[in-house]
Amino acid sequence: MALLEVKDLSFSYPGGEKKALDNLSFSVEEGELCLILSPNGGGKTTLLSLLQNRGDLPGKRSGHVSFPGGAPRTALLRQDADLALVTDKVWRELAFAPENRGLPTEEIRLRVAEAAGFLGLEPLFYRDVSSLSGSEKVKTLLAAFLADRPGLFLLDEPASTLDPLAKRDLAEALNRIRREGGGTVLLAEQTCDPFFAEADRVLYLENGALLFNGSPREAARFLLTTGRGSFVPESARLAFSLGEKETLPLTDSEGKRALSALPYTVAPLPRVKCAGEALLSLRDLSFRFEKNAPDLLSGLDLTLSRGEIVAVLGKGGSGKSTLLRLLSGELSPVRGKRRLAGGAKLAYLPQDVRCLFEKETLEEEMLSVSSPEKVREALSRFDLPPLAGRHPLDLSGGERQRAALAKLSLIRPDVLLLDEPTHGLDGGAKAALAALLTRWKQEGAGILLVTHDAAFAAVTADRCALLFNGEFAALEETDLFFRELHLFTTPTARVTDGKALAPEEVKAP
Amino acid sequence: MRRSALSRLHPASSYALGGSILLLAFLTKDPFSALLLAAGAIAFDGEVSGAPFAAKRLAFFAALTALGAVTNPLISHRGVTVLFYLGASPVTGEAAVYGAVSGAMLANVILWCEALFRVLPPDAALVFPGKVLPRTTLVFTMAIRFVPRLMTRMRQARAAQAAFHPEHTLKNAFLALQTGVALTLEECCEIAAGMEERGYGAAKPSRYALYRFRGRDGAAVFLTLLLTSLSLAAYCLGAYRFTCYPVLARSGHWAWYALPAFLAFLPAAAERKEKLQWRSSK
């Protein structure tokens, strides 16, 4: 039976020229995992807010959202899990909703125990929420939602800041919730891995319109044949590019099997080497947050040169962002030194890019930094002209990220520190960013980026480092780095057994 | 927080015991009670953190007591037993004892506060207001997160804006403050929306009790209240009266000291009992 039916749903924000949602019709069955894909600003967040029956969403709405079996309790997990956490302790967070519903203490105790046990939250139970990593926060929230026993889980890009292993943990947790917990899950995502193959249904939105609604395999075929390949798993993209049109593989193991039967050659991506003098160097850099805690970063040595891109990878909570906060001057090291070449200009893109905005509109923001011609060029490069009049904080996550990058592009820094620059970006915006970083590099900038996006690092970086236990477990040339790794590598490398790093390297003979 | 027998009790029991001991440490002004309470604190530290740590705490107690004994006679010249003259001023034995007792009292309060702070879960203190004022307690726990969040946002804003406004001026600091406040307030609105979605304000809230009040908690509270009441009664009746001036004098039967001694050594004894039980279970 359909849990949810949407009929002719349209929505426009006040003052918006185009519709945020345009005549959507679809239904979702009980217990389904429905993956909603769309480019930045495609309408994912608006759709989830309307499904949650947010009466306070300002704008013009038409059409119907109905629940044939009665409206279930819904839980909405927004992009920033940190903002959904209300209290200071994990156990208090789990008890929050049942307490607010006025349930008896014994029932709360049972629900909290059940939810924590179901998602394996026991080791975190007494922890401060501020000490949790990104994936632990998402897991805590899912458990907190479970304790409230919702029938419908709405998740708005919950994995955007998670590392690949944490994403797989989340996919597993969502599967358990719908298979064993009886919940229905609507998951809006920018990236498809690892949820694509797990989904029962895929919806694809573009400019607010529903362009596709069907099974993951049909979705992969539709997206690839219509030139939207960045939304499908790399195994499907690779097989499709090698001539497989019918049975597209969706997982790494399926991809491996498919590629073993397809002939292909590998042409490594050309890497432009233009490294010059040292711009930024760290010697024995160490840091810890508390006096008696172990070092989070311990004795790091690194030199970033002019005309070089270095990517730092590692699990969530390994200290990647902290490293950039140290290099930007936000935090001070407990030991060691950071040296910036004399006269070099440093710019820092934090994980929360809202810190960069000070003005009322995006255009004002840009004009406060540079001339109108340069502003126009920067806005066009990131496909931002339609959003120039909007308040920067009203933009969607991906749009905001593009706006921040556009603003940074105006000042031409010598050293650029980027914290998860692909966070929330769709395939097109990622490609534009990769091209821009390569251009800046050729113009003499030194770029240090920390990212979970191994595929992006493989394409853009000259050297890559793996941060583990406070140290660089490896710091190598990119090709060598990824060929040595088996688990923390790119999806293409996993499917091709390390022969290729990016789909662009794989060619039909 | 260190795990101990005291931290495994219900907060009502552990805080009652801790509070009673601190009350006695504040009230009693005689050297014998002070020594008993200090011995209890050091024994407890030894049980929880080991002998070397207890030795450090003993050294601290001795140092503070000695400091009182040395400094007080320099300020106060009361008393009849003149030990020697410093210039024209007499240094009296009574003033030295008075200073030592004052130093020991202060050391006791510090020793017990530190010992309790190390073993009692700080959030357990919210159990009591949480029962009576659940919303106020929630606001308090949220405020605990708000202040560091604002500070972090301000630091992040300054670091991110430094590329555009590199000068360390008041204006740029204010800009970072403005951005930090705006972001934090916006986040508060999102948090509020999330709270509403999770039922905040929908019904009269109930309370999740992380700690269960068991029989042994009841027994601990009963014993604590009994010993504290008896000790206070004895204190009011002058059982622990000790005067320094003009001459050292005490009144009351020695047996009354069993009460503060029992209370002071209860945490250490509970710790030892758990250790013995653990060993016998292996």
Side-chain angles (χ1 to χ4, degrees):
Chain A
M1 185 173 92
L3 177 95
L4 159 74
E5 284 182 353
V6 175
K7 194 146 176 52
D8 304 325
L9 183 67
S10 294
F11 187 82
S12 311
Y13 284 101
E17 288 171 16
K18 63 169 192 166
K19 288 180 178 174
L21 294 178
D22 191 2
N23 216 26
L24 303 191
S25 294
F26 64 90
S27 62
V28 178
E29 299 294 314
E30 205 167 332
E32 270 190 334
L33 170 58
C34 178
L35 177 65
I36 306 171
L37 295 170
S38 89
N40 293 147
K44 297 186 293 290
T45 302
T46 310
L47 175 61
L48 293 187
S49 297
L50 289 177
L51 293 183
Q52 210 226 354
N53 203 14
R54 284 280 298 274
D56 58 343
L57 201 63
K60 195 176 154 201
R61 167 186 173 157
S62 64
H64 304 282
V65 175
S66 61
F67 298 93
R73 183 170 287 164
T74 56
L76 173 62
L77 175 57
R78 294 187 174 78
Q79 284 173 14
D80 190 348
D82 203 30
L83 296 184
L85 294 165
V86 177
T87 66
D88 58 338
K89 298 276 180 192
V90 169
W91 64 265
R92 227 176 241 139
E93 202 62 40
L94 265 59
F96 182 74
E99 278 183 337
N100 286 325
R101 311 263 179 225
L103 299 179
T105 303
E106 283 311 309
E107 191 175 344
I108 299 176
R109 192 186 295 281
L110 185 70
R111 285 191 180 203
V112 167
E114 190 182 45
F118 188 73
L119 290 180
L121 227 60
E122 293 93 335
L124 310 178
F125 197 66
Y126 296 101
R127 290 256 305 267
D128 274 351
V129 290
S130 59
S131 71
L132 302 179
S133 71
S135 66
E136 288 169 343
K137 281 178 183 166
V138 171
K139 225 168 164 184
T140 299
L141 272 171
L142 284 178
F145 289 157
L146 275 176
D148 198 23
R149 306 235 170 117
L152 180 60
F153 288 80
L154 305 170
L155 297 107
D156 191 357
E157 297 191 31
S160 59
T161 55
L162 302 187
D163 64 69
L165 300 178
K167 277 185 191 177
R168 273 175 247 168
D169 275 355
L170 174 62
E172 203 178 299
L174 291 179
N175 252 331
R176 291 194 66 200
I177 284 174
R178 78 186 165 119
R179 287 196 180 133
E180 297 165 34
T184 305
V185 182
L186 263 74
L187 169 69
E189 264 300 332
Q190 202 72 249
T191 53
C192 51
D193 269 336
F195 308 105
F196 203 96
E198 304 285 350
D200 298 299
R201 175 195 302 271
V202 176
L203 305 181
Y204 179 76
L205 300 179
E206 203 170 278
N207 293 322
L210 181 62
L211 299 192
F212 181 85
N213 174 6
S215 73
R217 235 169 269 279
E218 289 165 357
R221 200 172 301 118
F222 165 80
L223 292 165
L224 285 163
T225 49
T226 54
R228 297 176 174 95
S230 63
F231 290 98
V232 301
E234 287 198 6
S235 52
R237 281 165 69 187
L238 287 169
F240 187 80
S241 70
L242 296 175
E244 177 61 64
K245 308 287 182 214
E246 288 309 309
T247 319
L248 290 166
L250 298 182
T251 61
D252 290 349
S253 53
E254 286 178 6
K256 263 187 174 179
R257 273 200 300 277
L259 258 71
S260 65
L262 294 167
Y264 66 90
T265 57
V266 175
L269 291 174
R271 297 202 183 269
V272 184
K273 299 216 170 179
C274 47
E277 84 270 15
L279 278 174
L280 178 70
S281 56
L282 352 169
R283 292 286 166 266
D284 191 30
L285 199 80
S286 304
F287 182 79
R288 58 179 173 267
F289 277 103
E290 284 168 28
K291 191 180 167 195
N292 296 320
D295 283 352
L296 178 63
L297 299 173
S298 175
L300 296 184
D301 294 315
L302 175 75
T303 303
L304 177 70
S305 303
R306 202 174 273 287
E308 184 186 37
I309 301 179
V310 176
V312 179
L313 294 102
K315 258 183 84 78
S318 60
K320 300 188 301 298
S321 294
T322 306
L323 172 63
L324 288 199
R325 290 171 70 190
L326 280 168
L327 297 180
S328 72
E330 185 195 329
L331 300 174
S332 302
V334 292
R335 198 171 59 250
K337 279 186 180 160
R338 141 215 193 260
R339 182 169 294 156
L340 187 65
K345 191 156 59 168
L346 182 143
Y348 165 51
L349 180 82
Q351 206 169 78
D352 187 348
V353 297
R354 295 176 305 171
C355 295
L356 278 174
F357 302 123
E358 314 147 17
K359 306 284 182 200
E360 293 298 307
T361 67
L362 179 57
E363 195 169 25
E364 275 179 49
E365 195 75 56
M366 307 282 279
L367 286 170
S368 69
V369 181
S370 192
S371 65
E373 300 84 65
K374 285 186 178 166
V375 166
R376 261 197 302 279
E377 189 200 326
L379 287 173
S380 303
R381 183 180 296 127
F382 285 95
D383 202 16
L384 289 166
L387 308 174
R390 298 261 299 271
H391 195 292
L393 300 188
D394 285 343
L395 302 175
S396 75
E399 290 167 346
R400 214 183 282 151
Q401 191 78 7
R402 276 154 47 203
L405 287 163
K407 187 177 175 189
L408 273 187
S409 75
L410 294 172
I411 54 166
R412 297 287 178 96
D414 300 292
V415 176
L416 192 56
L417 308 174
L418 304 172
D419 195 349
E420 296 291 351
T422 59
H423 169 204
L425 295 187
D426 59 32
K430 271 189 204 177
L433 175 62
L436 182 72
L437 295 186
T438 307
R439 206 183 91 192
W440 281 346
K441 174 181 102 167
Q442 287 167 338
E443 288 170 2
I447 300 167
L448 182 66
L449 61 99
V450 305
T451 183
H452 293 312
D453 194 336
F456 184 78
V459 173
T460 52
D462 298 295
R463 288 191 295 154
C464 290
L466 181 69
L467 193 57
F468 172 73
N469 225 1
E471 298 175 337
F472 289 136
L475 176 57
E476 312 266 11
E477 299 271 319
T478 300
D479 289 324
L480 188 62
F481 177 85
F482 282 112
R483 289 202 166 96
E484 281 179 354
L485 287 173
H486 292 282
L487 303 170
F488 242 103
T489 189
T490 67
T492 301
R494 282 201 297 272
V495 173
T496 60
D497 284 327
K499 294 187 195 87
L501 298 183
E504 296 78 15
E505 293 183 346
V506 179
K507 311 274 182 209
Chain B
M1 189 197 86
R2 275 177 181 274
R3 284 269 164 213
S4 74
L6 205 57
S7 67
R8 275 183 275 271
L9 284 175
H10 188 277
S13 312
S14 53
Y15 276 83
L17 181 58
S20 300
I21 294 171
L22 278 174
L23 182 69
L24 289 188
F26 269 116
L27 286 179
T28 51
K29 295 187 191 80
D30 73 288
F32 308 103
S33 300
L35 281 173
L36 284 172
L37 288 171
I42 291 163
F44 181 58
D45 275 332
E47 290 293 336
V48 174
S49 307
F53 185 77
K56 279 187 195 168
R57 308 314 290 157
L58 177 62
F60 169 77
F61 175 78
L64 213 57
T65 307
L67 188 70
V70 171
T71 52
N72 190 55
L74 302 178
I75 305 161
S76 168
H77 308 296
R78 295 170 68 192
V80 294
T81 316
V82 178
L83 299 177
F84 56 90
Y85 281 88
L86 196 68
S89 308
V91 173
T92 65
E94 288 78 8
V97 172
Y98 187 88
V101 173
S102 304
M105 278 175 62
L106 180 64
N108 262 336
V109 172
I110 296 171
L111 283 178
W112 274 108
C113 279
E114 283 188 353
L116 296 171
F117 183 75
R118 269 195 297 280
V119 297
L120 295 184
D123 61 319
L126 291 174
V127 164
F128 313 113
K131 192 166 186 175
V132 190
L133 301 162
R135 293 235 161 103
T136 313
T137 312
L138 175 67
V139 169
F140 179 72
T141 62
M142 289 179 74
I144 290 174
R145 290 188 64 209
F146 177 84
V147 176
R149 186 189 287 271
L150 174 63
M151 300 306 286
T152 307
R153 288 283 175 261
M154 275 169 55
R155 277 201 308 271
Q156 282 174 342
R158 181 66 203 119
Q161 291 167 354
F164 304 96
H165 313 286
E167 307 82 20
H168 290 285
T169 59
L170 199 61
K171 187 183 164 202
N172 290 339
F174 183 73
L175 192 66
L177 171 71
Q178 198 183 353
T179 310
V181 170
L183 290 182
T184 311
L185 288 179
E186 193 186 90
E187 287 171 358
C188 287
C189 292
E190 267 203 54
I191 291 172
M195 286 169 67
E196 198 184 338
E197 286 157 20
R198 289 164 67 190
Y200 186 71
K204 188 171 180 291
S206 54
R207 193 180 63 96
Y208 170 54
L210 184 65
Y211 306 93
R212 279 180 196 270
F213 195 85
R214 295 178 173 82
R216 61 175 187 164
D217 297 307
V221 169
F222 176 74
L223 193 60
T224 303
L225 292 182
L226 181 71
L227 288 170
T228 312
S229 314
L230 290 174
S231 302
L232 289 177
Y235 173 79
C236 293
L237 293 171
Y240 309 122
R241 186 166 297 144
F242 182 86
T243 52
C244 291
Y245 303 120
V247 289
L248 301 179
R250 65 165 291 278
S251 58
H253 197 277
W254 289 103
W256 288 112
Y257 286 104
L259 291 169
F262 203 95
L263 209 51
F265 281 93
L266 202 54
E271 214 61 45
R272 174 47 59 105
K273 182 172 167 262
E274 279 218 351
K275 273 187 189 166
L276 291 175
Q277 270 182 338
W278 170 257
R279 277 186 207 149
S280 66
S281 71
K282 289 281 121 188

